[in-house]
Amino acid sequence: MPARNEPQVYARRLRAVLINSIPVLEARGIVIVLMAGVTGVIAGALVTGMSALVQGMHFLLFDVQPGGRLSAMFSLASPVQAMFPAIGGLLLGLSVIWLRRRKFRTPVDPIEANALYGGRMSLTDTFIIVVQTMISSGFGASVGLEAGYTQIGSGIASRLARTFRLRRNDVRILVGCGAVGAIAAAFDAPLTGAFYGFELVIGIYSVANVAPVMTAAIAASLTAEVFGGVPFPLELSGLPTLTASEYVPFLLLGLLGGAASIAIMHLVSLIERVFVRLAIDASVRPFIGGIVVGLLGLVTPQVLSSGHGALHREFAMNYGLAVVASVFVMKLAASAISLGSGFRGGLFFASLFLGALLGKVFAGVMALTAPAIALDPAVSAVVGMTSLAVGVVGGPLTMTFLALESTRDLTLTGVVLAASIMSAILVRETFGYSFSTWRFHLRGETIRSAHDVGWMRSLTVGSMMRKDVRTIDAATTLAEFRKEIPLGSAQRVIAVEAGRHYVGVLLVAELHSDLSDGETPVQALAQFKDAVLVPSMNVQSAAETFQRAGAEELAVVEDFDDRIVLGLLTESHLTRRYAEELDKARRDLSGEG
């Protein structure tokens, strides 16, 4: 038995040496920066390894030569290869059955972990997502590896942070650094990775977070280069100088990108609902989706896997409008079917490819309808790529820096940022979710970002209510009530039936001033008869109940069926406790106290 505890003992001793015995090294200082650097190195190495393994699968299954890309192929070498997405779906279906028998819960990703659980992530969840993502992309499903990349980086970071027993907000920052390192390594773009962490996983930009985040991003990017990672396939040169008049059509393209991203998210959920309505078991859905994706792959392999090679082809070659539009439709269908049928992966890179296609279609249509404007197809592709990805991924600055680091063109970055903002505004005002938070919404979660709201769930009605509540029989007459409860002896009383079953709230001052007959039962004067709280409600749900009822105090009952009175909660106490906890969370975030 002692041998099993040795790693934990060593971790505690190391933490004591690094933090407790050296007063100047606080958890949010040098130690966190050093741990962020280690996290970045690990994330860079793991991302490179995952990419190499998937490339190896493509070599074995699709005869993709070293240095090549599946989606860059002009056609499949054999029609038999179109069966591989279905085979991958079959393997995923078997994994669903295996997980179901062992009663595994839905895995938690970095955004959800930081929003609800203080950055706590399970390594079991992490490895499940990574393996399923690699199977999905490796067998040709139209999904990207970015979900697996960020999961492995953040999962390892979470374990590292909790091994050293860091504070809640420090764990959240390190989880963000894991995702930062993963994206920086995947795209060889440190600034892109850094702002991915700020906007999406940490949920806030602050001066205190800059050092660890940038350390993780740079360390991961350098590590990927050392291990031979493949950079983002977007190297443009000789781009034309943009004029002020061209901003207007590109802003319109930004709005189209936002609208397209909303349509994509709805399409994925629509396909999921179709499978549910047809009563097709979740273990069978990936197999069916794989068949359809394989058939689309027979038409053009550009729809398979994440689309790195296809994106490179789109920028390197000048296809006609009809070809580009048809590839857009097929890639859109393949990605939506892949995700809607249960393949594991993300829309990060798929949204980049779809956006580039949308931009080229937009430039082609403008050339036909308004030839005087003459939009450059490459610039349109970059603007479309980032604006659609902003709607799906949810990070305007992330995508702007991706364009900057890829093209190294500051002029282009300006129009990309403007179009990205237009896309973000449209999505936020009309839809309100990115793809990740939309998936949470479909599962019944209410989070819209990685802002830490997990503490709100622990601040429950049960922890805030008063238990010393005074009750009275609901059949008591008004005259008897006034004798038993004189004015000033209490502010409110709960009217109950036999067995303490809730009837309503009685406001003592109002009952003493009421002009009703003294024989009137107090039950008739009770308020908020249909509005009650239960102990498991969090502060947000309770506040919404107070607002709907227009009440200043509500009874707390055991459950909504029997409604046995347990206590009482006032709106003023709830508001005060919420403000206290919010102030504490803000102090933790800023490093005070």
Side-chain angles (χ1 to χ4, degrees):
M1 287 296 292
R4 295 184 180 180
N5 295 326
E6 286 182 3
Q8 296 180 6
V9 172
Y10 293 148
R12 285 197 296 270
R13 289 176 180 173
L14 181 59
R15 178 180 182 272
V17 171
L18 290 176
I19 299 175
N20 298 335
S21 64
I22 305 176
V24 297
L25 295 185
E26 293 295 335
R28 290 186 62 85
I30 298 174
V31 172
I32 289 296
V33 173
L34 292 175
M35 294 177 71
V38 172
T39 298
V41 171
I42 295 173
L46 291 173
V47 164
T48 306
M50 287 177 61
S51 177
L53 286 173
V54 171
Q55 283 296 100
M57 294 174 68
H58 290 169
F59 171 75
L60 294 174
L61 300 176
F62 297 98
D63 297 325
V64 177
Q65 297 306 305
R69 291 282 185 171
L70 173 58
S71 59
M73 298 172 63
F74 287 95
S75 63
L76 296 178
S78 168
V80 176
Q81 293 174 338
M83 297 173 55
F84 288 127
I87 295 173
L90 186 62
L91 293 176
L92 278 181
L94 293 174
S95 73
V96 169
I97 295 173
W98 184 80
L99 293 172
R100 184 186 295 163
R101 287 180 177 176
R102 282 155 180 77
K103 298 181 180 179
F104 276 92
R105 58 177 175 79
T106 303
V108 174
D109 75 359
I111 296 176
E112 186 177 5
N114 266 3
L116 300 179
Y117 306 114
R120 296 179 65 88
M121 296 177 67
S122 163
L123 283 182
T124 302
D125 287 359
T126 293
F127 291 128
I128 288 171
I129 289 179
V130 167
V131 171
Q132 289 184 334
T133 302
M134 291 176 66
I135 290 174
S136 300
S137 186
F139 278 83
S142 188
V143 293
L145 284 167
E146 290 76 26
Y149 292 159
T150 56
Q151 187 75 28
I152 191 68
S154 296
I156 295 296
S158 176
R159 173 61 65 184
L160 180 64
R162 289 187 290 121
T163 298
F164 285 89
R165 300 174 65 184
L166 300 184
R167 296 183 306 176
R168 178 186 180 95
N169 196 58
D170 296 327
V171 177
R172 294 182 70 253
I173 290 174
L174 213 59
V175 165
C177 288
V180 164
I183 295 300
F187 293 94
D188 191 23
L191 289 174
T192 300
F195 278 87
Y196 179 90
F198 287 134
E199 292 185 302
L200 302 173
V201 184
I202 298 174
I204 190 171
Y205 172 89
S206 69
V207 175
N209 297 343
V210 171
V213 166
M214 290 306 305
T215 299
I218 294 171
S221 183
L222 292 175
T223 301
E225 290 182 9
V226 169
F227 284 100
V230 179
F232 181 53
L234 182 59
E235 295 290 340
L236 303 180
S237 59
L239 294 175
T241 302
L242 297 177
T243 62
S245 61
E246 291 178 305
Y247 268 70
V248 174
F250 284 132
L251 292 178
L252 176 59
L253 177 55
L255 292 174
L256 289 176
S261 67
I262 296 172
I264 291 169
M265 290 184 275
H266 275 302
L267 182 58
V268 173
S269 60
L270 174 63
I271 292 171
E272 289 178 337
R273 290 198 299 270
V274 169
F275 277 113
V276 171
R277 188 163 297 177
L278 295 176
I280 299 174
D281 190 78
S283 61
V284 181
R285 296 171 192 172
F287 176 71
I288 297 174
I291 293 175
V292 180
V293 172
L295 293 174
L296 290 171
L298 275 178
V299 180
T300 173
Q302 290 188 71
V303 305
L304 299 178
S305 195
S306 59
H308 282 72
L311 182 62
H312 180 74
R313 276 180 54 185
E314 286 301 325
F315 280 103
M317 305 181 72
N318 188 22
Y319 292 106
L321 177 60
V323 173
V324 175
S326 63
V327 173
F328 175 83
V329 172
M330 286 189 288
K331 179 63 177 179
L332 173 60
S335 295
I337 291 169
S338 294
L339 290 170
S341 63
F343 280 98
R344 177 73 69 177
L347 277 176
F348 192 117
F349 204 93
S351 65
L352 294 174
F353 180 38
L354 286 168
L357 294 171
L358 178 65
K360 282 208 164 185
V361 170
F362 180 79
V365 172
M366 290 294 291
L368 294 175
T369 58
I373 297 178
L375 298 180
D376 183 86
V379 176
S380 297
V382 174
V383 174
M385 176 184 76
T386 51
S387 60
L388 193 149
V390 163
V392 172
V393 178
L397 289 177
T398 300
M399 295 306 161
T400 300
F401 278 109
L402 181 60
L404 170 62
E405 292 181 293
S406 301
T407 63
R408 298 171 178 83
D409 189 309
L410 286 172
T411 305
L412 181 59
T413 302
V415 73
V416 165
L417 178 59
S420 297
I421 291 173
M422 296 300 292
S423 174
I425 291 174
L426 177 67
V427 173
R428 185 180 68 246
E429 296 299 326
T430 62
F431 189 64
Y433 299 91
S434 66
F435 182 70
S436 296
T437 54
W438 173 240
R439 308 287 283 175
F440 299 146
H441 169 73
L442 295 178
R443 282 168 34 199
E445 295 286 0
T446 57
I447 59 175
R448 291 175 181 261
S449 71
H451 286 289
D452 189 5
V453 296
W455 59 269
M456 293 176 61
R457 297 197 170 189
S458 62
L459 190 60
T460 62
V461 168
S463 67
M464 294 184 289
M465 71 179 185
R466 288 178 46 194
K467 297 181 180 179
D468 58 338
V469 60
R470 192 167 183 178
T471 61
I472 194 169
D473 192 323
T476 303
T477 64
L478 182 58
E480 293 171 340
F481 175 89
R482 289 169 176 168
K483 290 179 182 179
E484 185 174 342
I485 304 177
L487 186 64
S489 62
Q491 290 184 331
R492 63 194 70 80
V493 178
I494 305 298
V496 296
E497 295 175 335
R500 289 177 65 89
H501 293 283
Y502 175 76
V503 173
V505 176
L506 302 172
L507 301 180
V508 175
E510 291 188 10
L511 264 67
H512 274 273
S513 62
D514 193 276
L515 300 178
S516 302
D517 189 289
E519 298 302 314
T520 302
V522 293
Q523 178 177 0
L525 303 175
Q527 300 183 29
F528 317 123
K529 297 180 180 180
D530 298 322
V532 291
L533 306 171
V534 294
S536 60
M537 277 184 173
N538 63 32
V539 63
Q540 182 178 6
S541 299
E544 291 172 352
T545 304
F546 274 111
Q547 185 175 13
R548 286 196 302 270
E552 295 181 359
E553 55 276 304
L554 288 174
V556 182
V557 299
E558 189 171 313
D559 56 59
F560 289 115
D561 295 326
D562 294 335
R563 306 216 300 180
I564 297 174
V565 174
L566 299 177
L568 182 134
L569 180 65
T570 64
E571 186 180 27
S572 60
H573 181 66
L574 176 141
T575 303
R576 184 170 63 253
R577 284 295 309 278
Y578 172 79
E580 291 171 354
E581 293 296 327
L582 181 61
D583 184 59
K584 179 182 176 183
R586 285 173 174 168
R587 287 200 308 271
D588 288 342
L589 191 62
S590 62
E592 299 175 6

